[in-house]
Amino acid sequence: MSVVSAKNITKTFGEAPNKTIVLKNISLQINKGEFLSIIGPSGSGKSTLMYLLGLLDVPTKGAIYINGQKTKDISEKDRAKLRNREIGFVFQTYNLLPRTSALANVMLPLNYSNVSRDERKSKAMKLLKDVGLSHRISSFPSQLSGGEQQRVAIARSLICGPSIILADEPTGNLDTKTGEQIINIISQLNKQGKTIVLVTHDNNIAKKTNRIVTIKDGQVLSDKKNR
Amino acid sequence: MDIIESFRTAFSALLRNKVRSALTMLGIIIGVSSVILLISLGAGLQKSITAQFEKLGTGTLYVVPGKFGEGGGLAGGSGMSTNKFKFSDADRIKREINNISAVTPGIESITSVEYRGGKRKGVIFLAIDSSFFAIGDYNVKQGRFFTENENKNAKRVVIVGQTIVEKLMGGVNPLNKQISVRGKKYKIIGVLEKQGSIVGQDQDNMVILPAETANRQIGFDRPTWILVKASSNEIIPTVKKDIEKLLLNRLTDDDFTVLTQEESLNIAEQILGIVRVVFVGIAAISLVVGGIGISNIMFVSVTERTREIGLRKAVGAAPGDIFIQFLIEAVTLSFAGGAIGLLLASIGTLAARLFMPAVVTPFAVILAISFSVAVGIIFGVVPALRASKLEPIEALRYE
Ligand SMILES: Nc1ncnc2c1ncn2[C@@H]1O[C@H](COP(=O)(O)OP(=O)(O)OP(=O)(O)O)[C@@H](O)[C@H]1O
Ligand SMILES: [Mg+2]
């Protein structure tokens, strides 16, 4: 069964005269354990698609299914719950809370599920250790390098044990070498069984994934198995 | 979401902008402290005014010069220029009015008193005849009151309060010592028991002279009040009418007012009421201004933290979680303002205790807390709602 799937989704922004169609009738199935990359030129709609898959936005037409459950017409509260439990986000700009310690940033998603503070803390500590930051738990984002911040963000995306990780150009703001470290961490996660969607416009990165979906002008141009 | 976590977040957000938070709380601080001061001082004032009247016992009527509200003072102290009373008015009341148990006229003023080169200003000056001692709740601690004979013969004797002995005379045995009142010497024959202070006035800072002595030595010949004691409470309205009728033979309606104890208390209440309205006005305005300030700052905070809100939503915060978080922040702000206001008002009340039995009641504390929390909730709802309704994707894209 697919972890996340999109059925005939269309996304438009704006009203009649200024209406822009960003995604046109896209269908996509992401299966458990897959390591999938979405590539395409700038403005092709990659981020838009990823936000729709992650329930951060709603499609104009069509529906998104999470673990087989249709997410159309569910309340904002239930969508929040699904994001919390099933989806982990990694953004290009990290999106860590400023003036908040690395540990607290990693713990954040657990604040919205019923987990005791002690458990939140120990889970976050373990994840920070896994991404090699156990010495940086009380540092603020401003005291961390870009690569370190992105590792904190990865730890945060994992803390609720999501079914899928959605990463939008996670190496976009990093130099090649640091970017490679981040990609290594992500492929490691995939090897441990995590389903991963990686948005990128870097073909070399896409080549490291098992499946490459190419988008152009809001449509799927190709969907190929890799390796 | 965990409420404790919400409080943690609220605190750290507020501490991040200490100056801004403090300025925002100012309105609430002023509002809450005025409400509390109003209640505690109002209660204190009322207590002491009531005490002052009760000291003279129930069933007392006050005949004071002037038409009340047009220059007539509450205790008859003012209105001297229009005072047309004579001591003989008291005698006529005593002779011609039925159902009364006592009548006593008195002159009340403020004077300065000297003793061996030392001088004390603002001393309460009371000139009375011996009948007063039967009505007023005064007792001597040392020595004695003057007799009616001493009054009639205008003996130069004086009874003093504790403050005169302690502050002016340096605690010497005052009996038979001479003190100067308005430049003339009088022999101390008695010292009053300690009275304490009423409405901020030290009742022990007092000298009492025989009325006839005051007449001859100083030329004070008009009583500033006449106290009449009715023989029973039921008869008071009748006695009041009779006195008015009697005094109208010699005086006009504008020259005097007969007040029952109840009416006097009502007038005191009215004065308190004005004070109250002023305080309530200040309190209400500051609470509203404070509330608007909180609203304003919360809107700023929501805008500043748009990305934070977007991220929180992305990782699983429901609209309700965000709403609660910002509402708690607003309430924390107003509650802290309320707590500081309460603290300031308590200090103010402690200071006021020097003058009156003011006390911060539990009711006032509960009121302060509920007022400030209510302001936080009322003025925090709209910004919190706006925060909760932000689309996660718009918020994340926000620069
Ligand atoms: N809220 C919006 N309102 C209007 N247009 C939008 C909005 N969001 C996205 N778009 C448009 O949708 C198109 C696709 O945007 P999207 O961010 O998905 O592209 P992308 O493939 O991620 O590009 P990049 O590689 O530059 O990140 C763009 O033309 C963009 O201007
Ligand atoms: Mg993009």
Side-chain angles (χ1 to χ4, degrees), chain B residues 72-83:
Chain B
L74 191 59
S78 57
M80 284 288 260
S81 57
T82 60
N83 187 355

Side-chain angles (χ1 to χ4, degrees), chain A:
Chain A
M1 190 178 61
S2 60
V3 180
V4 176
S5 63
K7 282 215 177 104
N8 306 105
I9 56 167
T10 295
K11 181 69 184 174
T12 62
F13 288 106
E15 291 300 321
N18 307 315
K19 190 161 120 176
T20 40
I21 305 171
V22 178
L23 297 178
K24 294 168 200 153
N25 201 29
I26 286 190
S27 290
L28 188 66
Q29 273 204 16
I30 300 156
N31 296 316
K32 193 163 164 35
E34 268 190 318
F35 188 10
L36 180 150
S37 57
I38 299 176
I39 60 166
S42 184
S44 56
K46 306 183 293 294
S47 295
T48 305
L49 176 60
M50 196 199 89
Y51 293 146
L52 289 173
L53 295 175
L55 308 184
L56 283 175
D57 205 353
V58 281
T60 315
K61 274 187 211 148
I64 305 292
Y65 295 75
I66 306 281
N67 294 327
Q69 186 196 345
K70 193 175 183 181
T71 64
K72 215 180 167 74
D73 309 323
I74 63 170
S75 70
E76 188 47 49
K77 191 179 168 190
D78 289 335
R79 294 165 64 80
K81 207 173 199 171
L82 280 173
R83 287 197 294 270
N84 185 240
R85 309 279 152 85
E86 307 295 344
I87 296 154
F89 290 100
V90 178
F91 302 97
Q92 179 174 353
T93 51
Y94 327 127
N95 276 330
L96 299 178
L97 293 187
R99 283 159 296 195
T100 304
S101 71
L103 186 69
N105 263 293
V106 176
M107 283 160 68
L108 184 68
L110 279 183
N111 288 351
Y112 300 103
S113 48
N114 297 321
V115 176
S116 77
R117 191 172 164 79
D118 284 347
E119 198 180 336
R120 293 203 288 263
K121 209 164 177 170
S122 65
K123 277 192 175 172
M125 298 266 233
K126 188 189 171 294
L127 284 166
L128 278 170
K129 186 167 161 265
D130 290 349
V131 295
L133 287 176
S134 37
H135 58 299
R136 297 299 240 155
I137 53 169
S138 46
S139 301
F140 289 164
S142 58
Q143 300 165 325
L144 298 172
S145 74
E148 286 170 332
Q149 289 186 60
Q150 197 59 298
R151 282 189 272 161
V152 173
I154 291 171
R156 179 182 66 194
S157 75
L158 292 166
I159 194 142
C160 288
S163 309
I164 189 166
I165 301 287
L166 302 176
D168 190 2
E169 309 209 29
T171 61
N173 281 12
L174 301 173
D175 61 59
T176 322
K177 193 159 160 277
T178 318
E180 260 169 31
Q181 286 172 1
I182 295 298
I183 296 300
N184 285 341
I185 291 173
I186 291 174
S187 25
Q188 206 58 44
L189 289 172
N190 176 250
K191 291 205 178 82
Q192 289 160 16
K194 279 278 175 242
T195 311
I196 288 162
V197 174
L198 181 69
V199 172
T200 180
H201 50 239
D202 185 336
N203 278 319
N204 294 324
I205 291 175
K207 274 181 204 147
K208 294 181 179 170
T209 65
N210 315 134
R211 179 180 164 194
I212 302 172
V213 175
T214 310
I215 302 224
K216 205 181 168 199
D217 298 333
Q219 284 173 309
V220 177
L221 197 69
S222 70
D223 184 348
K224 287 184 207 138
K225 282 262 180 273
N226 186 28
R227 288 189 290 193

